[in-house]
Amino acid sequence: MKILVLNGSPRPKGNTAAMITAYQTGAERAGHTVTVFDVCRMNIKGCLACEYCHTKAFRTCVQQDDMQKIYPALDQADMIVLASPIYYHGFSGQLQCAINRIYAPGYPKKLRKAALLLSSGDKGVYDGAIFAYRSSFIDYLHLEDMGVFTAAGRENQSEELLTRLTSAGAALTDPDDHNAARLVISSGEVTVKAKMNNTMAARDFMNRLPMTVTGFDSGIDYCCPCKDGALDESEMQDGWKNGDINLSGGYFAIRYGGEEQSASYRQMIVAHLPEEDNCLIQTLPQKTVFELSLEEPYRG
C-alpha cells in the first residue's frame, strides 16, 4: 500500500515529526511505502476559489507551486495521513492550505483509507481538527478511518505513545473488497447490494445518496432518468458486463444483460451486482421504483 503523509508542523524535530516517524516505521515494517511531505517547508498557496480546475482544465490547479509535487503522489496513494500540531483548535495554517488545494483533483483516484495524528500542549483541544478530518476525508471522500491519534503535554514523544503509533502502522493492511462501500438497491420485497468502485463518478454518487429513481425494463437493463454528477471521461469504458451499473448520459442504469452486444456503447460503470442479485433484479415488473442508499461496512 502507498501511504501519503502531509506533515503540517513547522518544527523538523518536534512532537508531530516524532509521531510521524513512529507511524512510518511500523508501516514500512509491514511492507508499505510511505511518502512524507513537509508542507511547512513547501511553497503552497491558498486556494483562489477561481474554479479553473472544474471549468477550464479538469483536475488541474491554475497555481503552479509545490502542490504540483503532491498531486501525482496523491493520485497514486491508497491512504492519506494528516499530521499536525493543534493551532486554535484546528490544523496548522500551512496544512490547511494544502488540504484546501485538494479541491482541484476532487476525488483522488485510489484513496481508500485515512488516519489523523495530532499533537497539542493540552487535552480537549482537538474538536476542530477532528471535525474537519471526518467531514472532509472520512465522510466526503468515503475513506476508511484507520484511527485518530492524539498526544498532549507530557504524552508527546513518550515511549508509550511512540510504541502505540508504531504498532498501529504495522497493523495496516492493503485495501480490499471487504471495506468497499455497497450501493443498496431496494424495490418492493427485493433488496440487492452492488459493490461500488473507486471512480470519481462513484465517489460523487455516494455523496448524492439516498435517492429514489424510477426505472423501465428495456429487455437488457432498467433505465432510470438521473441527473449526471462529477465524471472523469478517462474512467469511462466501452461496453459493460452483466450486472454492471452505469451512471452517465442522464441515466442510472442496471445492466442486467446484453454484454455481448455492448462494445460500441460508452459507459461510466460505478458498481457491480453479483450474479445472484443480478438474477433477482430481472424478477421485477417492467416499471419499477428503486430506493437507493449507501452501506459502508467499516462505519461504526
Side-chain angles (χ1 to χ4, degrees):
M1 179 167 66
K2 293 182 179 180
I3 303 172
L4 171 68
V5 181
L6 297 182
N7 176 14
S9 174
R11 297 178 178 176
K13 296 183 180 180
N15 296 328
T16 303
M19 294 178 77
I20 292 171
T21 298
Y23 197 76
Q24 178 178 3
T25 297
E28 289 178 340
R29 285 178 184 171
H32 305 297
T33 301
V34 182
T35 302
V36 180
F37 286 97
D38 294 324
V39 300
C40 292
R41 282 175 285 284
M42 301 174 72
N43 175 29
I44 298 176
K45 300 179 177 65
C47 176
L48 297 174
C50 65
E51 293 293 334
Y52 180 90
C53 56
H54 290 255
T55 59
K56 295 182 179 179
F58 182 65
R59 302 186 84 239
T60 302
C61 183
V62 71
Q63 300 187 81
Q64 298 298 304
D65 57 12
D66 284 344
M67 277 302 293
Q68 306 306 320
K69 300 175 182 178
I70 294 178
Y71 285 140
L74 183 62
D75 255 355
Q76 291 301 311
D78 302 289
M79 178 177 176
I80 187 169
V81 178
L82 305 178
S84 180
I86 292 293
Y87 293 160
Y88 281 85
H89 298 83
F91 297 126
S92 67
Q94 297 94 325
L95 179 57
Q96 190 61 60
C97 279
I99 290 172
N100 291 351
R101 294 281 297 283
I102 295 176
Y103 176 74
Y107 296 91
K109 290 183 177 293
K110 297 177 61 181
L111 213 54
R112 296 278 291 276
K113 299 187 177 191
L116 180 62
L117 313 181
L118 298 173
S119 172
S120 64
D122 296 304
K123 296 182 178 180
V125 295
Y126 309 114
D127 288 355
I130 292 174
F131 177 82
Y133 165 72
R134 288 182 174 157
S135 298
S136 298
F137 290 87
I138 304 306
D139 293 338
Y140 180 70
L141 294 181
H142 298 276
L143 304 181
E144 182 180 4
D145 184 5
M146 302 311 296
V148 175
F149 302 88
T150 63
R154 293 183 179 179
E155 293 174 347
N156 284 289
Q157 301 199 42
S158 66
E159 183 177 352
E160 180 183 357
L161 170 71
L162 300 182
T163 298
R164 183 161 62 93
L165 285 167
T166 301
S167 297
L172 293 172
T173 58
D174 292 342
D176 58 36
D177 288 348
H178 295 294
N179 56 27
R182 261 72 172 174
L183 174 64
V184 182
I185 305 170
S186 297
S187 181
E189 296 181 356
V190 172
T191 296
V192 297
K193 297 180 181 180
K195 185 184 73 175
M196 302 292 291
N197 61 32
N198 217 36
T199 60
M200 176 177 286
R203 294 277 188 90
D204 182 69
F205 189 56
M206 293 181 201
N207 288 329
R208 297 161 61 193
L209 297 173
M211 69 167 63
T212 301
V213 295
T214 300
F216 297 87
D217 187 357
S218 72
I220 59 172
D221 69 351
Y222 277 93
C223 205
C224 314
C226 182
K227 183 179 178 181
D228 285 342
L231 178 69
D232 184 347
E233 293 283 347
S234 69
E235 294 179 324
M236 296 187 74
Q237 65 186 56
D238 295 326
W240 65 82
K241 297 293 184 183
N242 293 343
D244 278 351
I245 294 176
N246 172 58
L247 184 65
S248 59
Y251 289 95
F252 170 87
I254 305 173
R255 307 287 188 183
Y256 65 74
E259 66 177 58
E260 69 283 351
Q261 59 188 37
S262 69
S264 61
Y265 295 90
R266 292 285 285 166
Q267 307 291 327
M268 183 65 254
I269 304 303
V270 297
H272 183 78
L273 285 169
E275 184 176 356
E276 181 179 350
D277 285 349
N278 193 42
C279 291
L280 279 175
I281 286 292
Q282 297 173 59
T283 66
L284 295 173
Q286 186 172 22
K287 181 179 179 180
T288 303
V289 175
F290 294 103
E291 300 292 337
L292 309 178
S293 59
L294 185 66
E295 177 186 86
E296 295 180 274
Y298 47 81
R299 298 295 173 87

